[in-house]
Amino acid sequence: MKFLKWLNLIPLVMFVIRDMLGIADINPIWMIVIAAFVIMNVFMAKSMKEYLLSSLLLLISCVAGMVLSTYYYYYFISSDFETPIVGAFIAMVYGIFVLVLAGVGTAVFAIRNRKEAVKNGDI
């Protein structure tokens, strides 16, 4: 899991690619990819600490990617006054989406660990 948690930085690159292609909206494909990363974190983490760090890395990656994407769009494509507002809104949407998925993943991870503890006779 040590190297797999760095895969959570892929959304940072996705937002750069998105801007190079000229896409300026919330694409459901990116949401599905982010959900896949959360699911990967749930099943690959060995401890709750590791899972939460991976989820935090994913959150930071999504929000930082959107901030960099907004910066690029504002200074190189369109310097309209609403660009930072829309960028902040989209960053909040991605951030809330990741936080909700991380919360659900935390519950799933806790239930999975509880079942393994009961199976092994630890409880």
Side-chain angles (χ1 to χ4, degrees):
M1 181 65 189
K2 189 172 187 172
F3 298 109
L4 288 177
K5 72 179 170 188
W6 294 109
L7 288 175
N8 291 312
L9 292 176
I10 289 177
L12 191 64
V13 177
M14 284 186 339
F15 290 113
V16 172
I17 292 170
R18 183 185 73 119
D19 275 337
M20 296 302 172
L21 296 174
I23 304 169
D25 60 348
I26 299 174
N27 194 338
I29 300 293
W30 304 135
M31 296 285 208
I32 292 169
V33 169
I34 291 170
F37 280 119
V38 171
I39 292 169
M40 178 196 72
N41 289 339
V42 167
F43 291 110
M44 299 303 270
K46 292 179 177 55
S47 67
M48 184 63 81
K49 179 182 174 184
E50 196 172 275
Y51 171 73
L52 291 175
L53 286 174
S54 295
S55 295
L56 182 64
L57 189 62
L58 182 63
L59 174 68
I60 290 170
S61 173
C62 288
V63 172
M66 194 59 224
V67 168
L68 291 174
S69 172
T70 302
Y71 177 81
Y72 174 81
Y73 188 83
Y74 183 74
Y75 284 105
F76 296 111
I77 296 175
S78 172
S79 60
D80 294 334
F81 68 93
E82 72 268 358
T83 301
I85 297 167
V86 172
F89 172 73
I90 294 174
M92 285 189 289
V93 167
Y94 281 115
I96 291 170
F97 183 71
V98 170
L99 285 175
V100 167
L101 287 177
V104 171
T106 302
V108 170
F109 188 81
I111 291 169
R112 187 187 74 162
N113 280 354
R114 179 78 173 181
K115 283 184 178 179
E116 288 177 5
V118 168
K119 183 179 173 183
N120 294 335
D122 295 338
I123 296 179

